[in-house]
Amino acid sequence: MNTDSAFTPSPSPSTETLDAADPLRQFRDAFILPPGVIYLDGNSLGARPRGALEIAQRVIEQEWGHDLIRSWNTAGWFDLPSRLGNKLARLIGAGDDEVVITDTISINLFKVLAGALKMRPGRQVIVSERENFPTDLYMAQGLAQLLEQGHRLVLIDSHDELTHVLDKQVAVVMLTHVNYRTGAMWDMASATAKVHDCGALMLWDLAHSAGAVEVDLHAAEADFAVGCTYKYLNGGPGSPAFVYVNSRWIGELQQPLNGWWGHAAPFVFDPEYRPAADIRRTLCGTQGIVSMAMIEPGLDLMHEATMTALRKKSVALTSRFIEQVEARCAGLGLSLATPREPALRGSQVSFVHEHGYAVMQALIARGVIGDYREPGILRFGFAPLYVRFQDVDAAAEALREILAGKLWDRPKFTTLNAVT
Amino acid sequence: MNTDSAFTPSPSPSTETLDAADPLRQFRDAFILPPGVIYLDGNSLGARPRGALEIAQRVIEQEWGHDLIRSWNTAGWFDLPSRLGNKLARLIGAGDDEVVITDTISINLFKVLAGALKMRPGRQVIVSERENFPTDLYMAQGLAQLLEQGHRLVLIDSHDELTHVLDKQVAVVMLTHVNYRTGAMWDMASATAKVHDCGALMLWDLAHSAGAVEVDLHAAEADFAVGCTYKYLNGGPGSPAFVYVNSRWIGELQQPLNGWWGHAAPFVFDPEYRPAADIRRTLCGTQGIVSMAMIEPGLDLMHEATMTALRKKSVALTSRFIEQVEARCAGLGLSLATPREPALRGSQVSFVHEHGYAVMQALIARGVIGDYREPGILRFGFAPLYVRFQDVDAAAEALREILAGKLWDRPKFTTLNAVT
């Protein structure tokens, strides 16, 4: 057997049955996927919806090339952050005019974190997790250093620790709903309630949640949220991020990045800043229109599929992957890093292996694309719109072959796995 | 005569001669321009280089669609801010590793302004112009409010006033090199020297300068600069902005928007922020790759044309426009708002008219696209890569016909002129 050859999934009646019965099976056709690839990295960069290219062509040829400056109005460029934000809001349990698409997660986090600190004067603690995606911690560190007002970042090491650190010094708690390494998911409503009990504000990072799990920001009474559109929402490389502000706080939020797009009357060119009365006060400068416009087809597909159906399939995919890997790779040095209980995890499964980096390179070399995170973590994301049950079994089998044959020292090419 | 019909430039030996002798004449073919339009709004949204669509298609089809996550490395996505930044640097008199393309002007201004204040502790004044583009003032106001350290914004009303407000309280002076309304241009070297004499730092906004006039940041010893790529650089709607930090300050600059792209080792996922040793410390979060990649053809065209040749033609175009408008429209209520002396203006000409808004609508309705700025300002930008001398005369004649016939009450359609 030539173990370096392209991987061919073995015919499996079981996955055939599952795929045939999958109510979301037709959505795979809405995406362009390269042949010979099993793509389990949609939690880093989502695959390309067919509609994205057409939108980019329309924006570039017609709107930019032909209509030029007039497109700010005639093509609705200026309203894109709000219009797409409202579309995204309904996928995460937010209301109209509570979400805009703009800037990056990091920048949006800075806006609401700075605003939240102003809303809790006298409280100097920002709580987060040591295992949070680092950029969230960096932004908080940068803000605290900038302010020079004694704010400090307190990091917890487990979900259980949250209750222990909550006191009247805490201004805001900033958590990533689904952990980027392990896939562990917070109980959003329960954590938010605890945070509110101590009088603090709750800020959720939905980078690995939006489009992956059912999120209900309103039901959880979440105060603020940020997230990205290029993972499970399939918006394209580096497509702009989003920010959510609960409507009860809109009037109170003073975010410091006061750009003209956030002004109450941006075309009056008033030298004094007056924030817009609504969520648009979280906008700042002119946005990259092509990268933003391409977010729409991914959002539309999500709405068509419904988050309930997506989550149901996601749980089935991740459960089967755990089961298949553990069955096929028993004794081959893997340990599960993701919660076994479906309610406690997002749409990814991570395993730890001593030679994790090299094993992932070997997997990628045979067309099974997941990614690697220190220390030793093989990370597999399951985007229910385009991942099939047959992909799950095939990926598990590829992993078995590599581990059983110790084939991880022969990668065909390398990847750096550049994005969260 | 049907004054509503599309405008046809009259044959003019004089402009024919000028266009035939124009060493940049062939560059017009590198752009897509709609038929029947004279586009004098490249200072708001530059026209589309032919190469932009091809780049977007490659990024979307091959890099995103086919190569997926691997493109962060194989297609050089992660290095785009630096690679394109270095290309842009040579157009504005900056060196390698002094410029990156990222985020928006507003966000970049916040980074360097906040960093500059930290470098001048004890000094609490930010100087700017009342006539600066408002978002620059808003960002400074937002920063001062956030800091709560008594910083204040002092606004001057003329170039001459600069010397009067400079004292040991001034931390940083923030000026837009070419004014967005009038086109008036600061003497960069002389203003910077004055600012340095009082021990303050100098931050230039090059929104209406980059790609429009010769800028030499090094010769002027400028400390910081920001600018956009979607005007004279023709990067596309809302394409990402740039930030320049003089290499002498790179090690000292503590900018507060500490995202993971600015980390010394972004893939180590260290919970502590350590800024990159070089200009990359001004980066923050993941960038919109399609909108960024499309900047390149515009930059390449600028390099091919050279800024010296561009400026020479720009001065000839703006001088002729002033001359033609004043000759044809004498007594029709226009007054020049732009400095008459070429060395004192950028690549735009503005005239004030009592019915400015309606006059601009009438011009646009007959295919002469400029834009309008309060109060009463008709603004015409001359992008030397694609504007011809025949366009100059034709625009002046269209303006005459509208004013002489009082045709401004019959616009065919309206535009809001959304972007600076």
Side-chain angles (χ1 to χ4, degrees), chain B residues 300-361:
Chain B
D300 288 342
L301 290 169
M302 290 277 150
H303 278 292
E304 201 182 332
T306 78
M307 285 309 306
T308 306
L310 280 159
R311 174 64 174 164
K312 194 175 167 196
K313 181 174 172 190
S314 158
V315 167
L317 291 167
T318 53
S319 297
R320 187 174 176 97
F321 188 65
I322 293 171
E323 168 205 303
Q324 289 290 319
V325 169
E326 292 191 333
R328 293 172 197 242
C329 307
L332 293 174
L334 289 176
S335 61
L336 183 65
T338 300
R340 200 172 290 278
E341 166 62 35
L344 301 182
R345 65 173 185 255
S347 198
Q348 76 175 70
V349 176
S350 300
F351 284 97
V352 180
H353 189 275
E354 190 191 350
H355 301 287
Y357 180 79
V359 170
M360 183 51 74
Q361 298 317 307

Side-chain angles (χ1 to χ4, degrees), chain A residues 184-267:
Chain A
M185 180 162 66
W186 280 89
D187 178 332
M188 182 177 279
S190 141
T192 304
K194 283 177 195 158
V195 168
H196 285 171
D197 281 349
C198 92
L201 294 161
M202 184 71 228
L203 161 54
W204 289 104
D205 180 338
L206 304 178
H208 292 265
S209 309
V213 299
E214 287 178 283
V215 175
D216 195 335
L217 291 168
H218 267 186
E221 298 186 34
D223 302 301
F224 309 106
V226 296
C228 80
T229 64
Y230 52 73
K231 297 177 186 289
Y232 292 99
L233 295 175
N234 307 301
S239 54
F242 66 87
V243 54
Y244 153 86
V245 177
N246 191 303
S247 54
R248 92 186 95 157
W249 299 129
I250 286 288
E252 226 173 298
L253 180 76
Q254 277 190 287
Q255 71 92 356
L257 303 179
N258 295 340
W260 71 307
W261 276 35
H263 197 280
F267 299 107

Side-chain angles (χ1 to χ4, degrees), chain A residues 44 46 57 64 72-73 118 135 138 141 145-146 148 237-238 258 260 267 270-271 273 287-289 416 418-419, chain B residues 44 46 57 64 69 72-73 118 135 138 141 145-146 148 237-238 258 260 267 270-271 273 287-289 416 418-419:
Chain A
S44 190
Q57 283 169 333
W64 176 18
W72 281 103
N73 301 295
K118 292 276 183 196
T135 207
Y138 302 160
Q141 288 165 19
Q145 277 168 23
L146 177 70
E148 296 179 359
N258 295 340
W260 71 307
F267 299 107
D270 184 344
Y273 186 74
Q287 295 296 299
I289 296 301
L416 197 68
V419 176
Chain B
S44 190
Q57 283 169 331
W64 176 18
I69 189 67
W72 282 104
N73 301 294
K118 292 277 182 195
T135 208
Y138 302 159
Q141 288 165 18
Q145 276 168 24
L146 177 68
E148 295 179 2
N258 295 340
W260 71 307
F267 299 108
D270 184 345
Y273 186 74
Q287 295 296 299
I289 296 299
L416 197 66
V419 176

Side-chain angles (χ1 to χ4, degrees), chain A residues 27-39:
Chain A
F27 282 94
R28 186 174 163 92
D29 294 335
F31 290 85
I32 300 287
L33 291 158
V37 160
I38 292 175
Y39 193 59

